[in-house]
Amino acid sequence: MKKLLSITLLVSILFSCGKVSPSRVYREFKEESKLEFIAHHPGDPQIPVVSEGENMVFKYTYVHEEDENIADDELSEIFYLEMPKCLNSFTYNSTNEGENGTINVAYRKSCYCGFSEYTLEKAIVSASKTDDNHWQISFDVIFKDENGQEYPLKDSGKYTLNTDEYF
């Protein structure tokens, strides 16, 4: 009887533990678009949004792992890259003078942690078009928030054309 009770207790403990959703990465781009920055109210932080335009916008989304036992722990980090649609490849290094007009970058955190403005500290980006629906992009960026906290992101992967209305 003690063995049965011990096994039942062990199984109950194992099944009562919270489940963790694994982290995910999304890489996509939209043609005929541009990055804009909006604030919901005067004095609020400027938030990057994608709207219709003449360029291409690439979006990297890192959805952090979620823990079922923690309410409102959802966190996504989003890196935006806007570039002229006429390019088939490019490299960008924010430390090189004269390159700052080539591309536009932005960072955003999506969570229950409020909004903040982020400024670019460092960006090294390389991209090449592999076909009409795909790009290969590598980046290493660091953004800072209003309090000086740094947010580094680094990735390399294939971006797919998004033809949905939602981007």
Side-chain angles (χ1 to χ4, degrees):
M1 185 68 172
K2 284 184 179 181
K3 276 187 176 182
L4 181 60
L5 183 60
S6 297
I7 291 172
T8 304
L9 182 60
L10 179 62
V11 169
S12 297
I13 290 171
L14 290 175
F15 281 110
S16 67
C17 292
K19 295 179 182 174
V20 174
S21 298
S23 59
R24 298 176 309 281
V25 171
Y26 301 96
R27 297 176 188 95
E28 55 191 335
F29 73 97
K30 188 101 172 154
E31 295 177 323
E32 307 297 330
S33 57
K34 68 179 178 179
L35 269 179
E36 293 185 310
F37 296 86
I38 62 166
H40 294 293
H41 304 289
D44 280 358
Q46 298 282 318
I47 300 167
V49 294
V50 179
S51 60
E52 288 185 28
E54 296 180 0
N55 293 323
M56 292 187 297
V57 175
F58 296 84
K59 184 167 89 170
Y60 166 85
T61 306
Y62 177 68
V63 180
H64 286 259
E65 186 175 274
E66 293 179 33
D67 187 336
E68 194 175 272
N69 290 323
I70 301 173
D72 300 335
D73 74 326
E74 296 83 9
L75 170 63
S76 296
E77 293 181 82
I78 305 164
F79 171 65
Y80 298 94
L81 168 65
E82 178 187 7
M83 61 174 255
K85 67 180 178 182
C86 62
L87 298 178
N88 289 322
S89 67
F90 71 92
T91 57
Y92 175 83
N93 187 333
S94 63
T95 61
N96 293 343
E97 292 289 325
E99 286 193 24
N100 294 334
T102 307
I103 66 170
N104 192 13
V105 296
Y107 174 81
R108 177 179 174 200
K109 285 176 78 171
S110 177
C111 59
Y112 291 101
C113 52
F115 292 109
S116 182
E117 267 186 57
Y118 300 93
T119 56
L120 179 66
E121 288 295 306
K122 173 189 128 185
I124 299 171
V125 181
S126 65
S128 59
K129 185 176 185 176
T130 57
D131 61 46
D132 287 343
N133 297 317
H134 299 96
W135 280 76
Q136 181 68 34
I137 298 179
S138 298
F139 66 84
D140 183 359
V141 296
I142 298 174
F143 286 87
K144 271 191 181 177
D145 69 9
E146 300 156 336
N147 300 317
Q149 174 71 39
E150 289 188 349
Y151 295 90
L153 271 178
K154 186 176 188 177
D155 185 60
S156 182
K158 183 191 263 186
Y159 287 69
T160 303
L161 177 64
N162 179 319
T163 55
D164 297 336
E165 283 186 43
Y166 179 74
F167 180 71

